[in-house]
Amino acid sequence: MFVPLAIPLNDDTVTPGFLGFGVVVALGVALFLLLRSMNKQISRIQAPKEADLKQAEWERANLGRADGDEVEAATAEPNGKTAD
């Protein structure tokens, strides 16, 4: 006697069912929680603003000029001439 190994499936009646739905819902919940955590972490990052970067660059440039004046004054001899 011949026993079929598998029952033939009807494409109209085969569906993912509750297991497939549960997996999709679990993935959606995991995605939601991961995105919420990522947004929380990104909001904690202390990134400098463009205006702050420009201000720091301007201060460095002015500090460099002031340091250059002090270097010339430090290398000057008492009679006002610079040392070579």
Side-chain angles (χ1 to χ4, degrees), residues 16 19 23 40 42 51 62 67 70 74 84:
L19 179 63
V23 169
K40 209 180 288 187
I42 288 176
N62 286 340
D67 287 344
E70 292 174 8
D84 292 321

Side-chain angles (χ1 to χ4, degrees), residues 32-73:
F32 172 75
L33 294 174
L34 285 171
L35 287 173
R36 191 172 73 169
S37 174
M38 180 189 67
N39 284 334
K40 209 180 288 187
Q41 294 297 324
I42 288 176
S43 67
R44 291 181 183 170
I45 294 174
Q46 298 286 331
K49 296 183 175 127
E50 187 176 347
D52 294 339
L53 294 174
K54 287 182 180 180
Q55 178 68 24
E57 182 180 336
W58 180 82
E59 288 174 358
R60 273 194 305 270
N62 286 340
L63 184 61
R65 277 192 236 136
D67 287 344
D69 294 341
E70 292 174 8
V71 170
E72 289 178 11

Side-chain angles (χ1 to χ4, degrees), residues 3-27:
V3 178
L5 297 177
I7 300 171
L9 300 175
N10 183 353
D11 290 340
D12 294 331
T13 60
V14 176
T15 62
F18 291 114
L19 179 63
F21 179 73
V23 169
V24 170
V25 168
L27 287 173

